[in-house]
Amino acid sequence: MAEQRNTRQRRAVKGVLDQLEGFHSAQEIHEFLRDSGEQIGLSTVYRNLVSLADANEVDALRNDEGETLYRRCSSGHHHHHLVCRTCGKTVEVDGPAAEQWAESIASAHGFKNVSHTFEIFGTCEQCQR
Amino acid sequence: MAEQRNTRQRRAVKGVLDQLEGFHSAQEIHEFLRDSGEQIGLSTVYRNLVSLADANEVDALRNDEGETLYRRCSSGHHHHHLVCRTCGKTVEVDGPAAEQWAESIASAHGFKNVSHTFEIFGTCEQCQR
DNA sequence: CTGAATGCAAACCTTTTGCATGCGC
DNA sequence: GCGCATGCAAAAGGTTTGCATTCAG
């Protein structure tokens, strides 16, 4: 489906996602790239992040402030996250129990087309100091 | 903490929240009030919703589009929601299992100050037709 | 009367888009 | 060379804020 050209900018965006540990906003990623001397427009960062997310090459989630955060997706399958509020460090969480719970609740109430948001935010060990 | 004046507008906002079934955006609530003949500014709706949310008198959550949705909180205790994407109808869900799951995951990774977002979105029976 | 709440418009923030230019293929 | 990707600036949404005015207490 996604026939993407291998541009310098796209490579750069993917590169940052490999380097950065956790979830980060598009603006942070843009800033990081600019600081690294990479010349790239903010809209290009957005466009690439959106297309990467569509292609399931990165995870996207929304934080409490309504920003969209992105992170390179290590495993292809569905999972959730434990995210540090301070540094963005992320632990990937597999929650079959939670999945089933959501599914059964939804169908018990006759809901179809169900999606869910399960994200856990906290302060990681390092950032507690 | 919150010493709020009992203005006509604040009463109106609370009134709508009592009437409306599920989660609705500030804009929807504003529109609803205007349609009901109530004269009220959009900013006032926002200000009241924010203060009500701060006072824990209403629930607030963000949908996938990044809008903030509000709903009168029926029970004081912690719970989650099953929300219809189309009509906003909401089912309150009690998920002790999910709570514990989140808690144990977080502490297993040394995270403190944990909060979580568990929301289920779907299409309710009525809106499927 | 006094200061908090309101209303309006303008500001803000993140994200998206239109359009001319540039570059991967 | 063709057409998608880029860059910029401007637009679009949702939400917040500055400031003069209104009104609850």
Side-chain angles (χ1 to χ4, degrees), chain A residues 3-128:
Chain A
E3 286 294 319
Q4 294 288 354
R5 285 189 184 176
N6 181 29
T7 62
R8 169 176 56 77
Q9 291 89 335
R10 190 174 180 82
R11 250 176 284 127
V13 170
K14 285 172 134 178
V16 190
L17 289 166
D18 283 335
Q19 286 177 61
L20 294 181
E21 268 296 297
F23 275 92
H24 297 278
S25 69
Q27 316 245 5
E28 279 172 353
I29 292 168
H30 179 236
E31 198 177 331
F32 186 95
L33 283 167
R34 278 294 176 81
D35 290 350
S36 314
E38 196 67 47
Q39 199 179 329
I40 185 169
L42 178 56
S43 8
T44 303
V45 173
Y46 272 108
R47 276 191 275 239
N48 275 304
L49 287 173
V50 169
S51 88
L52 285 169
D54 281 352
N56 276 314
E57 289 193 51
V58 299
D59 280 350
L61 64 82
R62 260 176 210 277
N63 69 6
D64 292 341
E65 277 86 42
E67 285 180 325
T68 306
L69 306 181
Y70 297 93
R71 177 177 187 273
R72 178 127 238 181
C73 203
S74 54
S75 56
H77 79 298
H78 181 77
H79 54 257
H80 301 292
H81 304 98
L82 171 60
V83 185
C84 175
R85 271 191 215 88
T86 307
C87 68
K89 179 181 163 187
T90 302
V91 179
E92 260 170 49
V93 169
D94 226 354
E99 311 295 339
Q100 286 168 25
W101 173 74
E103 195 51 53
S104 66
I105 299 252
S107 65
H109 291 279
F111 280 57
K112 298 283 181 198
N113 241 310
V114 177
S115 69
H116 57 242
T117 311
F118 285 3
E119 306 298 343
I120 313 176
F121 293 91
T123 309
C124 80
E125 219 151 0
Q126 284 192 6
C127 292
Q128 285 169 39

Side-chain angles (χ1 to χ4, degrees), chain B residues 3-67:
Chain B
E3 288 295 318
Q4 293 289 352
R5 284 192 186 174
N6 181 30
T7 62
R8 169 176 57 79
Q9 293 88 335
R10 189 174 180 84
R11 252 176 283 128
V13 170
K14 284 172 135 177
V16 191
L17 289 167
D18 282 335
Q19 287 177 60
L20 294 179
E21 269 296 299
F23 275 93
H24 297 276
S25 69
Q27 317 243 5
E28 280 172 352
I29 291 167
H30 179 236
E31 198 176 332
F32 185 94
L33 283 166
R34 278 294 177 81
D35 290 350
S36 314
E38 196 66 48
Q39 200 180 328
I40 186 170
L42 178 56
S43 9
T44 303
V45 174
Y46 273 107
R47 276 190 277 237
N48 275 304
L49 287 173
V50 168
S51 89
L52 286 169
D54 281 352
N56 276 314
E57 290 193 49
V58 300
D59 280 349
L61 63 82
R62 262 177 207 274
N63 70 6
D64 292 341
E65 278 83 43
E67 285 180 326

Side-chain angles (χ1 to χ4, degrees), chain B residues 1 3 10 13 20 27-28 32 40-41 44 56 64 70 73-74 79 88 96 100 103-104 111 113 117 122 125:
Chain B
M1 43 200 225
E3 288 295 318
R10 189 174 180 84
V13 170
L20 294 179
Q27 317 243 5
E28 280 172 352
F32 185 94
I40 186 170
T44 303
N56 276 314
D64 292 341
Y70 297 93
C73 207
S74 55
H79 55 257
Q100 285 169 27
E103 195 51 54
S104 67
F111 280 56
N113 241 308
T117 311
E125 218 152 359

